[in-house]
Amino acid sequence: MAGELRLYNTLTRRLETFAPIEPGHARLYTCGPTVYDHVHIGNLRTFLFEDVLRRTLKLFGYRVTQVMNLTDVDDKTILGAQRAGLDLRTYTDRYVEAFFEDLATLRAEAAEHYPRATDYIEQMVALVQRLSDNGLTYTSAGSVYYRISGFPGYGKLSGVRPEANLAGARVDSDEYEKEDARDFVLWKAAREGEPAWETALGRGRPGWHLECSAMSMSLLGDSFDIHTGAVDNIFPHHENEIAQSEGATNAPFVRYWLHAEHLIVEGEKMAKSKGNFFTLRDLLARGHDPLAIRYLLISVPYRQKLNFTFDGLHAADQAIDRISNTLHRLRTTPIATGPGALPAEEIARFRNDFLEALGDDLNTARALAALHTLLRTVNIALDAGGLSGAAHANVLAALGEADAVLDLMPAAADPGPADEEHIQRMIDERNGARAARDFSRADTIRDQLREQGILLEDTAHGTVWRRER
Ligand code: AMP
Ligand code: ZN
C-alpha cells in the first residue's frame, strides 16, 4: 500500500510518520475498560478510535497485534463487587461479557489479546521486584511505592513536574489530579474485606498503573510501537506506566503515544461520576441504529472533542441511509450496455483522497466526505442510465476497501430468525470440530458459511458472525 501514515505523538508533540520497530508489524496497546459497570458511549468513542487506528494500520499494509486489557481489580471494581455482595470474578465477568457484546454491536474488530489484570499478578510482582532492584521503590505500612525522584524522565509525557518539596509524599488512590504528582502506589497492602493475593511483596493487590505496564510488556515486549487511551489517561496513568516500564528495563517503552479527546455533553466530559452518560444499551433501547452510533462516534477526528447530541445522531442516521440507498441501487440497477457514466479517474481520486485522509492522523471527517462525494457521483451515474460492468466492479471494490476501515455498510439482507438459528448451529458444529482438533472440518464449515455471505470472527468470548456486504 502506497502512502504515508502520519500520527500525532503526545510524547514528542508532533505529527510523525509511523515506522514500526519490527518492519511490517505494528504492536499496539490500548487501555481497556474497567469492568465495574457497562461502558458509556464516551468510552466507546475511544474504543472506536482504536478500531479505526487498527484498521488503518492494516489498510497501510501492517500486520497488527493489538492488546486491550480488562481492568478487573482496582478501587472501583472492588467497591462494586462489595456492594453487589459478589466475589470479584463473578462480578466483573458479567461486565466483561457485556463489553464484548457492545464492541460487536458497534462492529469493532476483535483485538488479538484481552488480558485480565487478575491473570497477570505474577508478572506484576516480578516487575515491582525489578524496580526494587533498581532502587526505585520503598515500602510503607505494607504497601510498595514508586520513588519518582529516582526516575529523571518523570513528566516527559504529560509535562507534569513533581514538586521538589513533595519528595516522599505519597498517593494511594488509583486516580488523582496533577497537583498530586507524587510517589504512587505499586502494590497495596491487603485491607479488611478486599481481595488480596499472597505474594513475595506481601499480601495485597496491584495498583491500577502497574497492571498496564505488566500486561503490555508481557504480551508485546519491553519496547513496542503504539500505546493509546483518552486524554485523561496521559496523567497520571500513562506517565506512571512509562516510569514503571522504563525504570525496570532501562529501554524505551513506547514509540508513539496517541490520545483521543473526550466525548462531551453540554460542554462537559461524559462520565459516570457526573451522571451525564448514556450507555450503548440506553441508545439501542430508544430505537437507535448501531450503525448510526458507530458513524457518529467515528465521524469527528479523534483529537477533536465530540459533542454528543441527538440531532447529531439523527444526522448520522441520515448519512447511513444515504450509504445504504446508494449501495442498494448499485446492487439492483441493471448493468448498462453503454460506456457507463462513471470515469475510472473519479474512483481513483476517491481511493487517493480516502487514503490521504486516514494517513493524515486518521482524519475520518475527510475520509467520510470523500465517501459521500463518491456516492453522489455514483447516484448521478445511475440516474443517467447505469454503470458499465467494469465501472460497477471498480466502484464496488473501492467501496469495499473503504469499508474495511469504516465498516458502515449495511448487510445485503437481514438474516431472519431461522437463518440465525442455522448459522448458530454451524458455529456450534465448527467449535465442536475445533475442540476435537479436526481443523479441516472446521475450515470447511467456515468456508460454507462464507459462501452464504456469513463471516466468522473468533474473539476472546467466542465466535461472532456478521454478514458480508
Ligand atoms: P475506564 O473504564 O474508566 O478505564 O475508561 C475506559 C476508557 O475510556 C479510557 O481510555 C478513558 O480514558 C476513556 N474515556 C472515559 N471517559 C471518556 C469520554 N467522555 N470520552 C472519551 N473517552 C473517555
Ligand atoms: Zn492502562
Side-chain angles (χ1 to χ4, degrees):
M1 168 65 57
E4 218 177 52
L5 175 56
R6 293 189 310 150
L7 301 169
Y8 182 83
N9 189 350
T10 309
L11 184 63
T12 58
R13 294 152 181 82
R14 273 190 321 209
L15 267 180
E16 292 181 35
T17 299
F18 177 70
I21 298 169
E22 185 190 318
H25 182 197
R27 283 172 291 164
L28 167 65
Y29 187 87
T30 50
C31 280
T34 308
V35 284
Y36 72 110
D37 199 349
H38 292 126
V39 294
H40 59 61
I41 58 168
N43 305 129
L44 287 167
R45 187 219 184 174
T46 295
F47 299 133
L48 288 186
F49 137 64
E50 290 153 353
D51 183 49
V52 169
L53 170 63
R54 161 192 177 85
R55 291 166 182 258
T56 300
L57 287 164
K58 286 162 99 178
L59 182 71
F60 278 79
Y62 297 104
R63 175 164 81 84
V64 174
T65 304
Q66 180 189 358
V67 177
M68 180 180 281
N69 68 293
L70 303 164
T71 301
D72 64 353
V73 54
D74 81 320
D75 297 348
K76 290 190 277 196
T77 43
I78 291 173
L79 189 66
Q82 283 171 345
R83 285 192 177 145
L86 295 170
D87 68 88
L88 192 62
R89 190 79 182 200
T90 311
Y91 179 74
T92 53
D93 267 350
R94 55 165 90 146
Y95 294 112
V96 170
E97 200 169 310
F99 175 63
F100 285 135
E101 275 171 27
D102 287 354
L103 287 187
T105 303
L106 292 180
R107 297 186 173 181
E109 262 184 15
E112 280 64 29
H113 304 275
Y114 289 102
R116 292 177 71 137
T118 52
D119 293 333
Y120 283 77
I121 301 289
E122 215 176 286
Q123 291 87 335
M124 294 172 202
V125 170
L127 184 57
V128 174
Q129 287 171 327
R130 285 175 81 181
L131 289 170
S132 300
D133 292 345
N134 291 348
L136 287 168
T137 69
Y138 60 92
T139 302
S140 173
S143 292
V144 184
Y145 295 87
Y146 191 101
R147 189 193 309 279
I148 60 176
S149 62
F151 183 68
Y154 197 86
K156 66 180 170 184
L157 181 70
S158 62
V160 169
R161 286 277 156 203
E163 299 282 339
N165 61 7
L166 281 178
R170 295 183 291 275
V171 53
D172 280 281
S173 62
D174 282 333
E175 289 171 87
Y176 51 89
E177 302 298 322
K178 292 189 181 186
E179 295 69 50
D180 287 320
R182 45 180 88 171
D183 294 344
F184 60 91
V185 70
L186 294 162
W187 185 259
K188 303 193 191 197
R191 271 195 295 202
E192 187 59 35
E194 286 195 350
W197 285 260
E198 206 64 68
T199 73
L201 302 173
R203 207 175 133 67
R205 56 145 172 131
W208 171 40
H209 314 296
L210 181 67
E211 298 177 6
C212 281
S213 279
M215 288 186 276
S216 60
M217 293 198 296
S218 295
L219 290 161
L220 296 172
D222 286 355
S223 301
F224 56 92
D225 301 302
I226 307 179
H227 195 314
T228 68
V231 287
D232 58 293
N233 291 143
I234 299 173
F235 185 88
H237 187 48
H238 291 165
E239 194 68 65
N240 290 353
E241 278 190 50
I242 293 176
Q244 292 164 154
S245 295
E246 299 189 354
T249 65
N250 294 312
F253 177 39
V254 169
R255 181 89 171 70
Y256 307 89
W257 287 90
L258 272 57
H259 293 99
E261 255 300 346
H262 285 140
L263 181 139
I264 57 171
V265 211
E266 285 160 12
E268 276 207 88
K269 176 190 173 196
M270 180 173 281
K272 283 275 159 55
S273 56
K274 295 201 173 97
N276 62 349
F277 65 92
F278 292 104
T279 64
L280 178 60
R281 287 134 207 270
D282 293 335
L283 297 183
L284 298 179
R286 289 171 173 232
H288 293 288
D289 172 8
L291 277 191
I293 300 168
R294 178 176 171 91
Y295 188 104
L296 178 66
L297 293 180
I298 69 174
S299 62
V300 175
Y302 76 96
R303 285 205 300 129
Q304 289 172 28
K305 289 190 171 68
L306 167 60
N307 187 23
F308 176 78
T309 63
F310 281 95
D311 282 348
L313 187 52
H314 183 63
D317 221 11
Q318 290 176 325
I320 292 291
D321 279 350
R322 272 198 296 280
I323 296 172
S324 129
N325 288 340
T326 309
L327 215 61
H328 181 73
R329 290 190 70 194
L330 263 175
R331 285 177 183 142
T332 52
T333 308
I335 297 297
T337 44
L342 188 64
E345 302 83 71
E346 289 277 351
I347 301 173
R349 176 151 28 142
F350 163 71
R351 279 200 164 99
N352 188 56
D353 289 353
F354 187 83
L355 200 66
E356 244 184 48
L358 288 175
D360 181 15
D361 199 25
L362 315 179
N363 193 329
T364 44
R366 253 174 58 204
L368 286 167
L371 173 69
H372 286 293
T373 303
L374 178 70
L375 295 180
R376 255 194 311 277
T377 317
V378 168
N379 279 322
I380 292 167
L382 290 171
D383 291 341
L387 302 182
S388 68
H392 185 262
N394 195 359
V395 77
L396 277 181
L399 289 174
E401 274 167 37
D403 213 42
V405 176
L406 301 174
D407 212 345
L408 291 170
M409 305 213 177
D414 253 347
D419 223 349
E420 274 186 39
E421 258 172 50
H422 162 74
I423 295 163
Q424 197 50 56
R425 264 202 309 279
M426 302 274 281
I427 290 174
D428 292 343
E429 201 188 325
R430 175 170 167 269
N431 286 340
R434 289 166 81 207
R437 308 193 67 76
D438 184 357
F439 294 114
S440 89
R441 172 78 191 126
D443 285 346
T444 307
I445 295 171
R446 174 192 281 273
D447 291 343
Q448 281 170 350
L449 281 171
R450 187 182 294 134
E451 269 164 34
Q452 295 165 34
I454 305 299
L455 300 182
L456 300 187
E457 217 167 87
D458 296 312
T459 72
H461 74 303
T463 305
V464 296
W465 62 269
R466 65 182 167 84
R467 276 206 178 250
E468 197 177 20
R469 291 162 302 272

